[in-house]
Amino acid sequence: MAEDIKNQEEMTEDEEIMVLVDDNGEEVEFHHIATLDYKDDWYIYLQPVELGEMDEDEMLIFKIESDEEGNDVFMPVEDEELLQKLYEEYLKECDAQEGEE
């Protein structure tokens, strides 16, 4: 998704599904994969419930920013180098969690 997405805070803890509204006012459901801090910025890792053209092992990464009212706004990360670093950070976190079990 190339457009900004605003969090509508409709997340259920059991399912970890987030309902977001895109720039066109359309609601889109996402599985919440992770939220991680990377170099003092927060990023959220999501996968659409309806995958469409995405594979099951793909996810979207958004930078969490705030609008003028203090609401979270998810900005798509489009820089390929940053996306790779964020994915590597996610893998490190997964490995660390596996080591704790």
Side-chain angles (χ1 to χ4, degrees):
M1 294 184 123
E3 61 266 7
D4 303 345
I5 297 182
K6 292 189 178 185
N7 183 350
Q8 293 298 304
E9 296 180 16
E10 295 181 22
M11 183 172 158
T12 61
E13 289 183 38
D14 295 336
E15 298 176 357
E16 293 195 49
I17 300 288
M18 298 179 74
V19 178
L20 307 177
V21 177
D22 67 17
D23 286 341
N24 299 322
E26 300 290 323
E27 289 188 354
V28 182
E29 290 185 334
F30 289 90
H31 295 283
H32 177 242
I33 308 298
T35 303
L36 299 175
D37 178 24
Y38 179 75
K39 294 190 177 185
D40 297 324
D41 287 316
W42 284 93
Y43 295 88
I44 189 163
Y45 298 66
L46 303 172
Q47 182 182 60
V49 171
E50 299 288 327
L51 291 175
E53 296 179 17
M54 290 182 66
D55 291 332
E56 287 184 24
D57 61 346
E58 291 182 302
M59 65 183 134
L60 302 171
I61 304 174
F62 298 91
K63 181 177 180 184
I64 303 174
E65 296 185 357
S66 296
D67 64 12
E68 54 278 343
E69 294 153 6
N71 299 312
D72 286 344
V73 178
F74 299 163
M75 304 297 292
V77 177
E78 297 176 356
D79 179 290
E80 290 296 323
E81 185 176 326
L82 178 57
L83 281 170
Q84 184 62 38
K85 289 178 183 175
L86 291 169
Y87 182 68
E88 290 169 6
E89 191 68 22
Y90 168 74
L91 293 177
K92 284 182 199 175
E93 185 65 27
C94 288
D95 287 345
Q97 287 182 5
E98 285 181 14
E100 292 176 6
E101 295 177 357

